[in-house]
């Protein structure tokens, strides 16, 4: 898939150098994949989340945890500009993607979403064949040749650990897959357009424990190639899969009596769950809250 | 507390309590009400039966005597023995095609705008209210619109009182029906389908074309079929834009000339013409034409209802 | 590292121009189609108002209140048409309200789901009957078999009553479907609460469900009335009075409604020339009809939405 590769991403070539940087100089001033400063999101007059300052590093899994309504999904949806789809939504502050202002007028949200894929809470395969689910994205990007598409479909399904289960029924409807398979199909669908980042919005909340475990294993597999940000309600999941964790909570606004999400703490997952520096984080991770 | 304890509602003894608990069987008032409601339903169905039986009965002389001749004869409101419906059938088909060409793309495009692009903007709300109101405008008023705009103002393009003007008028008339049903079909497509497409980097149009429209297609199809059946049964606006009610001559003109220059008629207009004539022979002609139209419309509607039931609630 | 980050430029987050253009083009096409629907309304109002106003200015006001509706003789008695419309609508409602509501209540509250699945499409077929066919049904069945039996032969072959009954049949499905939607929108919890207090089905239906759905029922009646007022062909076929009609309060005599008068002005032998008062009167009645039905529809629409918002 030479065209796609060249059209898609300059990242591939520098993967190795990047990884070295990650391990040896993780805390240096490298340009992060995402950097937010003073990020606030409004729905109409309602401020959903405020003052989010985050640096999301490449080739890591970052988890967003916190009680419901704390704005973690809202922040996630800033990274692929899904919030654009809600007419009343408004973003303040800055979101930088590899140093580029994501909300710059010259940036096209559609191209952002190709580079920053998203896996949703409920598996949402298209009501079409497994093959067509995978081929949709590459086709949009101008890949029409059948053998190239076949190759992308196969490699994406393999990377999503789904190939062996579906290789004999690629033309069957994706709706016939189990929930866990559907979710892995959605991950494969993301991978097929060779994104840089994969956002996961509570990807396992609709799945049983076995399917959840498979998705978690898969995340570990693919984190070599992709930056992953996962929103989860499940603290154990965050502790299991992520390298870094951001804890959000809600604050009641005294004037309007409405809740606004705030970022409490963002650190290495290990530290967050063993010796958090904020007492609210401690209360949450020890289960005394939310 | 014993079960026989008297209560304020009159259950004085175990015996009377049993009676009350099994009293449903003797709920006379309930029974009567249910029968009244059921008879309302029965009467409505009876009307339908009476309508069909009456039509067959009246139409029998034509159906039995000269059905082939009737189907192949032209419009003639002066001589029942010569009267037929082939021009009317052809007119109705031509009108239906024009409606399909004009109203379907326009209506579906408008529905896509309202459901996929507009959101809750003020202009979108205005258009929604406008469409709902247009749906309630009496059909004869569309006739006035057609007469002023399609026959007179744009007469140079439509050729005046032609089947084109008639088709455009009917297309305008059914446009709200197409928009409303197509909007409902689009609204029924789950948001997750759109998110899935946009999430892998599709533009809005690509998401709509590849996923939203195919998912909504059965519902949209149902709406368009219903709109066609509405157009096929409509006469009032055609009377104003020149549907021929007397005698329609279409001599040796080419089909194109007939469309752009000649007069036109349609099944409902022909039925109207025949219904106004007196005498038993015209009664038979009217009955036969009505029966044909009714069967046509019921088939189209049945198709729409079948489509809807077949594909509804897929999610 | 620097070589890496430098390659991330803003240009890499631009979409292929062809795809962006296609998206913009389709968006423009769709919004143009939507705006076209506004143009239809504006054109309807413009055409109606222009000639209706011309008629109102030119007509000798005395001719608007006279012995009857004879446009070709310059007699434009509006009350003849309005009374005709009211009579047809009134008779139609006498038929459609009990039948339509009965059907709706039965289907929503009493019928087993299986029965409902079979019967509802049949009622929908009733809604699809072309009005010319019902017009013919009025003169070939309703008048000779029902109206004549009712009044013992003092009725004319074409009369308002037969037309009214046929318009009523046409209105049954609208009243039935709008009010059934309203009844079914009432939450099950309300019915359960009533049953929980020991109420029977009839009391639950008429004391709990029906009052809860009342604004939807009223909407059904208003939309039904609007439909009946706007019905043209049934009256044009069955009520007689093709060219004009004397003012009459007898429903068993020929009569003229606003819609039928418009149809008569438009077609065939009565087709009037493209100018003159008679032709303009078409627009005048059309305008009245438009305003009346618009107001009714907006009220009905508002009530339907109210039901939806309540539950």
């Amino acid at each position: 898939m030479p065209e796609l590769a060249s059209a898609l991403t300059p990242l591939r070539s520098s993967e190795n150098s990047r990884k070295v940087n990650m391990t040896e100089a993780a805390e240096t001033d490298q340009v992060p994949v995402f950097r937010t400063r003073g990020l606030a999101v409004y729905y109409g007059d309602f401020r959903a989340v405020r003052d989010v300052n985050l640096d999301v590093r490449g080739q890591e899994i970052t988890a967003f945890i916190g009680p419901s309504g704390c704005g973690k999904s809202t922040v996630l949806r800033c990274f692929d500009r899904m919030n654009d789809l809600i007419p009343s939504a408004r973003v303040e502050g800055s979101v930088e993607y590899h140093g580029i202002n994501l909300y710059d007028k010259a940036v096209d949200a559609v191209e952002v979403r190709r580079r920053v894929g998203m896996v949703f809470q409920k598996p949402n395969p298209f009501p079409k064949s497994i093959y067509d689910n995978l081929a949709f994205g590459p086709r949009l990007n101008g890949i029409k040749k059948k053998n190239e598409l076949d190759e992308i479909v196969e490699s994406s399904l393999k990377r999503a650990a789904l190939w062996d289960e579906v290789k004999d029924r690629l033309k069957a409807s994706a709706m016939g897959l189990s929930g866990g398979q559907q979710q892995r199909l959605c991950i494969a669908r993301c991978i097929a357009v060779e994104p840089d980042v994969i956002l996961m919005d509570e990807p396992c909340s609709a799945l049983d424990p076995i399917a959840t475990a498979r998705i978690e294993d898969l995340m570990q597999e693919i984190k070599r190639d992709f930056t992953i940000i996962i929103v989860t309600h499940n603290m154990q999941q965050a502790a299991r899969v992520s390298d870094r964790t951001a804890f959000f909570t809600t604050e009641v606004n005294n004037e309007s009596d409405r809740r606004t999400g705030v970022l409490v703490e963002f650190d290495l997952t290990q530290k967050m769950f063993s010796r958090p520096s904020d007492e609210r984080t401690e209360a949450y991770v020890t289960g005394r809250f939310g | 507390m014993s079960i026989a304890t008297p209560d304020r509602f009159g259950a004085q003894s175990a015996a009377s309590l049993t009676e009350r608990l099994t009293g449903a069987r003797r709920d006379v008032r309930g029974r009567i009400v249910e029968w009244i409601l059921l008879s309302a339903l029965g009467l409505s169905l009876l009307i339908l039966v009476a309508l069909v039986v009456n039509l067959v009965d009246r139409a029998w002389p034509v159906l039995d005597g000269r059905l082939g001749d009737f189907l192949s004869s032209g419009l003639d409101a002066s001589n029942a023995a010569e009267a037929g419906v082939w021009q009317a059938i052809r007119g109705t088909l031509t009108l239906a095609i024009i409606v399909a060409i004009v109203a379907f793309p326009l209506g579906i495009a408008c529905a896509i705008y309202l459901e996929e692009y507009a959101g809750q903007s003020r202009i979108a709300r205005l258009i929604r209210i406008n469409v709902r109101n247009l749906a309630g405008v009496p059909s004869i008023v569309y006739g006035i619109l057609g007469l002023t705009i399609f026959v007179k103002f744009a007469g140079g393009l439509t050729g005046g009182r032609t089947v084109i003007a008639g088709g455009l008028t009917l297309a305008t008339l059914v446009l709200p029906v197409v928009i409303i049903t197509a909007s409902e079909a689009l609204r029924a497509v789950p948001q997750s389908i759109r998110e899935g497409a946009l999430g892998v980097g599709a533009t809005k149009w690509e998401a709509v074309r590849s996923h939203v429209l195919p998912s909504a297609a059965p519902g949209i199809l149902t709406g368009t079929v219903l709109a066609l059946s509405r157009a096929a049964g409509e006469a009032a606006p055609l009377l104003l834009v020149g549907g021929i009610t007397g005698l329609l001559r279409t001599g040796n003109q080419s089909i194109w000339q007939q469309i752009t220059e000649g007069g036109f008629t349609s099944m409902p207009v022909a039925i109207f013409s025949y219904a106004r004539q007196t005498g038993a022979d015209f009664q038979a002609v009217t009955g036969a034409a009505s029966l044909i139209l009714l069967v046509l419309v019921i088939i189209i509607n049945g198709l729409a209802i079948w489509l809807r039931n077949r594909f509804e609630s897929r999610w | 590292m620097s070589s890496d980050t430098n390659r991330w430029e803003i240009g890499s987050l631009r979409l292929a121009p062809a795809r962006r253009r296609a998206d913009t083009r389709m968006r423009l096409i769709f919004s143009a189609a939507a705006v076209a629907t506004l143009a239809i309304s504006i054109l309807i109002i413009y055409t109606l108002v222009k000639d209706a106003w011309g008629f109102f200015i030119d007509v000798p006001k005395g001719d608007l209140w006279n012995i009857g509706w004879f446009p070709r003789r310059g007699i434009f008695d509006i009350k003849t048409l309005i009374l005709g419309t009211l009579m047809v609508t009134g008779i139609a409602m006498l038929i459609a309200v009990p039948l339509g509501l009965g059907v709706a209540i039965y289907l929503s509250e009493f019928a087993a789901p299986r029965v409902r699945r079979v019967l509802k499409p049949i009622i929908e077929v009733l809604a699809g009957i072309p009005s010319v066919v019902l017009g013919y049904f009025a003169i070939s069945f309703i008048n000779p078999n029902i109206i004549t039996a009712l009044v013992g032969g003092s009725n004319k072959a074409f009369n308002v009553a037969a037309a009214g009954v046929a318009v009523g049949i046409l209105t049954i499905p609208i009243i039935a479907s709008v009010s059934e939607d309203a009844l079914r929108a009432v939450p099950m919890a309300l019915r359960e609460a009533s049953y929980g207090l020991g109420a029977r089905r009839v009391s639950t239906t008429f004391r709990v469900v029906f009052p809860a759905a009342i604004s939807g029922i009223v909407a059904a009646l208003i939309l039904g009335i609007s439909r009946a007022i706007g019905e043209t062909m049934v009256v044009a076929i069955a009520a007689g009075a093709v060219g004009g009609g004397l003012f009459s309060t007898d429903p068993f005599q020929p009569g003229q409604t606003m819609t039928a008068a418009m149809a008569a002005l438009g077609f065939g032998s009565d087709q009037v020339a493209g100018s003159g008062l008679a032709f303009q009167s078409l627009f005048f009645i059309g305008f009245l009809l438009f305003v009346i039905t618009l107001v009714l529809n907006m009220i009905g629409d508002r009530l339907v939405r109210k039901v939806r918002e309540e539950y």
Side-chain angles (χ1 to χ4, degrees):
Chain A
M1 37 184 160
E3 292 157 42
L4 186 60
S6 61
L8 291 183
T9 166
L11 256 195
R12 293 286 163 269
S13 56
S14 57
E15 230 165 57
N16 293 332
S17 67
R18 225 166 214 282
K19 214 175 292 169
V20 171
N21 272 326
M22 274 311 309
T23 47
E24 292 181 357
E27 307 296 332
T28 64
D29 61 347
Q30 75 173 115
V31 174
V33 177
F34 289 110
R35 164 171 284 170
T36 72
R37 287 296 177 265
L39 174 66
V41 184
Y42 294 78
Y43 297 116
D45 300 331
F46 170 61
R47 184 165 61 179
V49 63
R50 65 173 173 86
D51 293 331
V52 178
N53 300 307
L54 269 178
D55 282 2
V56 177
R57 281 156 231 261
Q59 277 61 45
E60 279 191 0
I61 297 179
T62 304
F64 288 1
I65 61 170
S68 39
C70 68
K72 52 193 191 301
S73 287
T74 301
V75 172
L76 190 78
R77 282 168 171 256
C78 287
F79 293 148
D80 67 348
R81 290 190 47 180
M82 271 290 179
N83 282 334
D84 291 19
L85 303 179
I86 303 163
S88 65
R90 189 160 51 82
V91 173
E92 273 181 12
S94 74
V95 185
E96 286 183 1
Y97 172 60
H98 293 289
I100 301 165
N101 176 10
L102 209 49
Y103 284 82
D104 192 292
K105 276 207 177 74
V107 169
D108 197 312
V110 173
E111 188 58 23
V112 172
R113 292 186 201 122
R114 206 276 295 149
R115 288 163 187 278
V116 183
M118 190 152 199
V119 176
F120 299 84
Q121 187 168 358
K122 200 167 154 277
N124 59 349
F126 304 129
K128 300 194 165 173
S129 73
I130 294 169
Y131 186 95
D132 285 340
N133 265 277
L134 271 290
F136 175 65
R139 278 186 184 133
L140 292 179
N141 289 287
I143 294 175
K144 302 271 193 268
K145 288 204 196 95
K146 184 163 185 313
N147 56 346
E148 280 178 42
L149 284 173
D150 289 350
E151 194 187 314
I152 295 175
V153 168
E154 182 175 345
S155 67
S156 307
L157 285 170
K158 278 180 174 158
R159 288 168 86 181
L162 192 59
W163 174 250
D164 291 332
E165 291 159 64
V166 302
K167 65 183 173 197
D168 300 324
R169 45 172 174 149
L170 291 177
K171 297 290 173 199
S173 168
M175 307 307 274
L177 298 174
S178 73
Q181 287 173 324
Q182 288 189 0
Q183 196 61 298
R184 275 180 284 144
L185 180 79
C186 292
I187 294 173
R189 189 173 67 189
C190 269
I191 292 175
V193 289
E194 305 231 325
D196 172 33
V197 183
I198 297 178
L199 307 177
M200 297 186 170
D201 192 355
E202 299 186 32
C204 301
S205 62
L207 305 181
D208 61 61
I210 295 168
T212 300
R214 299 206 62 166
I215 302 269
E216 288 178 4
D217 290 347
L218 176 59
M219 290 170 68
Q220 297 303 330
E221 286 287 313
I222 60 176
K223 82 176 227 195
R224 281 180 281 121
D225 304 322
F226 307 101
T227 304
I228 296 175
I229 307 177
I230 176 172
V231 164
T232 177
H233 266 304
N234 180 337
M235 270 184 296
Q236 288 72 29
Q237 182 171 53
R240 277 194 302 267
V241 301
S242 70
D243 301 299
R244 272 167 223 274
T245 298
F247 171 62
F248 292 78
T249 191
T250 57
E251 278 184 351
V252 179
N253 185 327
N254 289 330
E255 292 154 36
S256 65
D257 206 35
R258 291 205 278 193
R259 287 170 176 276
T260 298
V262 287
L263 173 63
V264 175
E265 194 174 352
F266 176 49
D267 212 326
L268 288 166
T269 300
Q270 218 181 357
K271 179 162 178 292
M272 289 283 283
F273 283 87
S274 53
R275 43 195 163 82
S277 36
D278 194 296
E279 59 188 19
R280 288 171 294 178
T281 313
E282 191 177 359
Y284 187 75
V285 299
T286 53
R288 281 187 278 126
F289 172 93
Chain B
M1 186 162 109
S2 133
I3 198 169
T5 305
D7 66 24
R8 282 193 292 141
F9 303 101
Q12 300 291 338
S13 63
S16 79
L17 184 62
T18 312
E19 194 177 282
R20 296 207 135 218
L21 285 174
T22 53
R25 243 179 285 148
R26 298 190 296 114
D27 179 17
V28 181
R29 199 171 57 106
R31 276 298 157 111
I32 292 173
V33 170
E34 189 168 348
W35 274 106
I36 292 173
L37 294 173
L38 193 58
S39 58
L41 186 73
L43 193 54
S44 305
L45 299 179
L46 195 65
I47 290 171
L48 198 59
V49 174
L51 183 89
V52 174
V53 170
N54 176 58
L55 280 186
V56 174
D57 179 43
R58 296 278 171 159
W60 192 248
V62 169
L63 298 182
D64 190 36
R66 52 179 285 261
L67 181 60
D69 180 44
F70 181 70
L71 287 174
S72 58
S73 300
L75 181 73
D76 189 341
S78 58
N79 181 357
E82 298 280 309
V85 290
W86 83 262
Q87 290 166 326
I89 290 176
R90 197 193 58 190
T92 293
L93 287 180
T94 317
L95 289 167
I97 291 169
I98 297 173
V99 167
I101 293 173
V102 176
F104 292 179
L106 202 57
I108 294 169
C110 179
I112 292 175
Y113 174 78
L114 290 178
E115 294 305 316
E116 306 296 324
Y117 288 86
Q120 288 301 317
S121 66
R122 196 180 293 172
I123 180 92
R125 277 204 303 259
L126 179 67
I127 291 172
R128 282 194 191 102
I129 293 172
N130 178 53
V131 168
R132 281 204 303 276
N133 286 332
L134 280 178
V137 172
S139 57
I140 187 93
V141 172
Y142 282 96
I144 293 190
L145 179 76
L147 177 62
T148 317
I149 304 298
F150 299 129
V151 172
K152 297 200 161 161
F153 179 74
L157 294 171
T158 60
R161 297 171 174 271
T162 61
V163 71
I164 295 180
L168 291 174
T169 305
L170 289 185
T172 317
L173 171 78
V174 302
L175 190 63
V177 181
V178 177
I179 295 172
I180 289 169
T181 48
S183 292
E184 278 167 7
L186 290 169
R187 217 173 300 142
V189 176
Q191 199 59 29
S192 65
I193 298 277
R194 293 180 185 86
E195 287 181 339
L198 298 172
V200 293
T203 63
K204 201 146 208 172
W205 163 235
E206 286 161 347
V208 168
R209 184 192 56 194
S210 303
H211 300 293
V212 180
L213 272 183
S215 298
I220 293 177
L221 196 62
T222 307
T224 54
V225 171
L226 281 177
L228 266 193
S229 112
R230 169 94 196 270
E234 200 58 71
L238 295 180
L239 294 180
L240 293 190
V241 294
I244 300 289
T245 51
L247 178 67
L248 178 55
R249 290 185 208 287
T250 45
N252 299 321
Q253 294 164 307
S254 71
I255 289 182
W256 183 245
Q257 278 174 316
Q258 287 174 20
I259 289 176
T260 55
E261 295 166 16
F264 70 99
T265 190
S266 77
M267 283 303 287
V269 172
I271 291 167
F272 172 66
S273 328
Y274 293 146
R276 291 166 61 236
Q277 314 307 324
T278 48
D281 45 357
F282 263 114
Q283 289 263 315
V285 167
T286 316
S290 298
L291 196 61
I292 292 171
L293 179 64
L294 187 65
V295 168
L296 180 77
V297 166
I298 286 180
I299 288 175
I300 303 179
N301 277 339
L303 183 71
I305 292 168
W306 177 79
L307 270 173
R308 191 194 58 200
N309 291 347
R310 167 115 207 259
F311 291 104
E312 93 183 334
S313 66
R314 272 201 307 167
W315 283 282
Chain C
M1 206 59 229
S2 63
S3 69
D4 176 19
T5 51
N6 282 348
R7 292 176 62 181
W8 283 95
E9 286 162 1
I10 210 155
S12 59
L13 291 181
R14 258 187 216 123
L15 189 65
R19 288 175 64 198
R20 178 46 65 204
R21 271 201 306 275
D23 194 56
T24 312
R25 190 180 331 120
M26 293 316 291
R27 188 196 181 91
L28 282 175
I29 290 173
F30 295 146
S31 17
V35 170
T37 63
L38 289 178
I40 292 172
S41 292
I42 292 168
L43 283 176
I44 288 178
I45 294 170
Y46 173 75
T47 51
L48 288 177
V49 168
K50 187 167 144 280
D51 280 298
W53 183 247
F55 172 82
F56 190 71
I57 293 296
D58 292 346
V59 70
K61 302 297 175 286
D63 290 339
L64 288 175
W65 206 263
N66 210 312
I67 52 159
W69 175 261
F70 297 99
R72 281 146 64 77
R73 283 193 259 149
I75 300 171
F76 304 100
D77 183 44
I78 293 294
K79 70 177 186 296
T80 301
L81 299 186
I82 290 180
L83 181 73
T85 301
L86 284 180
M87 283 200 293
V88 167
T89 307
I91 294 166
M93 288 302 119
L94 285 180
I95 303 292
V97 170
L99 288 184
L101 284 186
V103 168
I105 295 171
Y106 186 82
L107 286 182
S108 159
E109 305 299 315
F110 289 84
R114 208 158 43 91
V115 177
R116 190 175 166 275
R117 261 205 307 282
V118 176
L119 289 182
K120 193 139 192 253
I122 298 180
I123 296 297
E124 285 172 19
V125 167
L126 207 57
I129 297 175
S131 54
V132 280
V133 174
L134 269 168
Y136 176 67
F137 186 57
I139 53 173
S140 69
F141 184 86
I142 296 173
N143 191 51
N145 295 334
I146 296 175
I147 307 291
T148 305
L150 224 59
V151 296
S154 64
N155 53 319
K156 290 272 170 23
F158 296 93
N159 63 64
V160 170
V165 171
V167 172
I169 295 172
L170 210 69
T171 321
I172 292 172
I174 295 167
I175 293 183
S177 86
V178 177
S179 45
E180 201 216 343
D181 285 347
L183 290 169
R184 287 171 69 83
V186 174
M188 209 27 110
L190 227 53
R191 293 185 184 87
E192 281 162 359
S194 171
Y195 289 131
L197 293 173
R200 293 189 198 284
R201 175 123 70 172
V202 172
S203 335
T204 304
T205 300
F206 289 96
R207 302 239 177 106
V208 177
V209 180
F210 197 86
I214 194 67
S215 49
I217 307 269
V218 173
L221 301 191
I222 290 175
L223 294 176
I225 289 172
S226 167
R227 176 76 177 82
I229 290 177
E231 173 48 39
T232 306
M233 295 316 294
V234 168
V235 188
I237 290 175
V242 172
L246 277 173
F247 181 80
S248 158
T249 54
D250 183 354
F252 304 104
Q253 295 293 315
Q256 190 80 297
T257 63
M258 295 161 76
T259 52
M262 288 169 69
L265 279 164
F267 78 87
S269 54
D270 286 325
Q271 201 167 300
V272 284
S275 59
L277 273 184
F279 182 72
Q280 283 191 317
S281 72
L282 177 62
F283 294 82
F284 184 69
I285 318 165
F287 179 70
L288 287 183
L289 187 64
F290 178 78
V291 171
I292 292 169
T293 52
L294 184 70
V295 168
L296 288 175
N297 288 339
M298 285 174 93
I299 296 171
D301 204 56
R302 166 95 26 122
L303 288 171
V304 169
R305 310 208 133 241
K306 200 173 149 220
V307 175
R308 272 191 216 143
E309 278 157 21
E310 270 170 22
Y311 303 114

